[in-house]
Amino acid sequence: KASAACAAVLCCGGALAAAAAAATRRGAVAANGAAQRRVEVARAARGGARGGGDAPLVVIAGPPAAGKGTQCEKIKAKYGYVHISTGDILRENVKNGTELGLKAKGYMDSGALVPSELIVDLVKDRLTKDDVKEKGCLLDGFPRAPDQAQAMVDAGLEVERVLVIKVPDDTLVERGCGRRLDPETGEIYHLKFKPPPAEIVDRLVHRSDDQEDKIRARLDAYHSQIDGILPFFKDAVVELDGTGKPDDVFELVTGGLDSI
């Protein structure tokens, strides 16, 4: 009877040990699965930005009225990158009266930069889409603050080039104050540098953020931020003289991008 009892105890102990080992294996599998999912999320973010390691992520930066919009159109035409503009995204939300748009409108109307938390998640999600993976990305207007640059680094997003257009402030004020928006087509004209057709002049709008005081407020904010952004991408930065004609500036742009 004692031998039978011992056998039963040993059998029970073995079963408990086996059950514990199985539980440990299941826990390890679950932990490995969770870790793999974290790796896949990070890989998706990197792949979205780099097209699986091949498609480049290019950032273009510059103060208001520096000619970024013109250069972005030329870059898209030559290189086929997907153009992602936080400005366009925000204006669309303002137009549609979304919660994000209403929050952003107060900052935009005062000439201030929209806070980072309103746009970081939106941009990161956009970079994981298939078109970016296939074609590469031209990121316009992001990052524009050190915490946004840090968010890109934390997400494992590799930036191939940061194109920085440089123009004196007084030149930018002249460019900005002369801009007019056609509300029907979305086209931007300039009274001096890109005059609108006579038949549409009466319907053009001088946007509130194209007034001199608001332009200078945005320039002050831009200069206070850009010096904190560039160190995150110091090996990728290419500074461009933006005072020339658009085609001349684009020659400088291609010199920076063709070397990727």
Side-chain angles (χ1 to χ4, degrees), residues 119-134:
I119 58 177
V120 169
D121 288 342
L122 178 64
V123 171
K124 287 168 61 178
D125 179 69
R126 183 65 182 87
L127 292 178
T128 65
K129 304 304 181 184
D130 289 342
D131 58 344
V132 174
K133 294 179 182 180
E134 294 170 4

Side-chain angles (χ1 to χ4, degrees), residues 61-207:
K68 283 198 290 90
T70 298
Q71 297 306 317
C72 284
E73 291 299 321
K74 291 178 176 293
I75 292 170
K76 286 191 297 179
K78 180 175 176 65
Y79 298 95
Y81 301 152
V82 178
H83 180 216
I84 299 177
S85 168
T86 55
D88 287 344
I89 294 172
L90 289 170
R91 279 190 288 273
E92 184 68 18
N93 278 271
V94 169
K95 179 181 177 181
N96 294 334
T98 66
E99 181 180 357
L100 173 62
L102 293 175
K103 290 180 180 179
K105 188 175 187 301
Y107 294 98
M108 294 169 69
D109 286 348
S110 66
L113 296 177
V114 177
S116 299
E117 58 268 19
L118 295 181
I119 58 177
V120 169
D121 288 342
L122 178 64
V123 171
K124 287 168 61 178
D125 179 69
R126 183 65 182 87
L127 292 178
T128 65
K129 304 304 181 184
D130 289 342
D131 58 344
V132 174
K133 294 179 182 180
E134 294 170 4
K135 301 177 182 179
C137 172
L138 176 63
L139 194 53
D140 175 11
F142 185 93
R144 60 183 182 188
D147 59 335
Q148 294 176 355
Q150 183 65 61
M152 293 182 70
V153 172
D154 292 344
L157 303 175
E158 292 186 44
V159 177
E160 295 283 355
R161 288 290 182 275
V162 178
L163 305 175
V164 183
I165 303 176
K166 307 194 76 174
V167 181
D169 284 3
D170 288 343
T171 301
L172 294 171
V173 170
E174 180 185 19
R175 290 182 181 182
C177 288
R179 290 195 298 195
R180 297 294 185 272
L181 168 68
D182 183 347
E184 294 189 8
T185 66
E187 184 76 14
I188 300 290
Y189 296 95
H190 192 282
L191 299 181
K192 179 179 178 181
F193 304 116
K194 185 184 176 183
E199 62 270 18
I200 71 168
V201 169
D202 290 342
R203 75 176 187 231
L204 299 183
V205 176
H206 192 192
R207 297 184 305 184

